[in-house]
Amino acid sequence: QVQLVESGGGLVQPGGSLRLSCVASGSSSVYYAIAWFRQAPGKGREGVSCISDRDDSITYLTDSMKARFTVSRGNGENTVYLEMNNLNPDDSGIYYCAGDPYSRCSGRADFYAFWGQGTQVTVSS
């Protein structure tokens, strides 16, 4: 069983930056992958990125995200960060992290069994 806790969301002006954190605990698996998703009001969950510690591979779901977002692991390996720059109102939503204990990445939300509670990001002037 994996517990995931996100933090770091908030209100930011267009063009601003935020760093989200996802802390994983309770996993007995040696390897795992952490993905970030976001959900705007009235829409489904959209994949943002995924990092797998099997081979340190990082996947971004769109070119726009790759240009503005950076995902990384903390030194303790149980924390994953999502650094978001040049934010715009379309980036607003609840950001979730999701985990796979077998280090597999997917852009499909229904692939992941473990989810955090989400952190709200609002980009507005």
Side-chain angles (χ1 to χ4, degrees):
Q1 190 75 12
V2 176
Q3 290 81 46
L4 302 171
V5 179
E6 305 94 334
S7 63
L11 173 64
V12 63
Q13 292 186 341
S17 300
L18 281 175
R19 188 176 79 160
L20 308 183
S21 301
C22 173
V23 178
S25 63
S27 174
S28 61
S29 176
V30 175
Y31 298 105
Y32 56 93
I34 296 293
W36 285 98
F37 285 80
R38 65 186 184 185
Q39 187 168 19
K43 296 187 178 180
R45 292 189 183 185
E46 175 189 27
V48 174
S49 69
C50 182
I51 182 169
S52 170
D53 64 352
R54 181 184 296 276
D55 54 7
D56 289 333
S57 63
I58 298 174
T59 304
Y60 295 94
L61 275 299
T62 71
D63 289 340
S64 173
M65 294 171 183
K66 185 176 182 179
R68 300 182 295 121
F69 297 173
T70 302
V71 64
S72 61
R73 283 191 186 274
N75 290 333
E77 296 291 326
N78 68 332
T79 303
V80 172
Y81 301 103
L82 179 65
E83 182 85 28
M84 304 185 295
N85 298 307
N86 194 21
L87 288 163
N88 61 68
D90 289 339
D91 295 314
S92 297
I94 300 175
Y95 282 68
Y96 299 91
C97 61
D100 176 76
Y102 303 104
S103 296
R104 302 168 299 181
C105 282
S106 172
R108 294 173 55 98
D110 59 4
F111 176 83
Y112 296 91
F114 304 107
W115 290 85
Q117 82 289 349
T119 186
Q120 177 71 48
V121 171
T122 303
V123 184
S124 175
S125 55

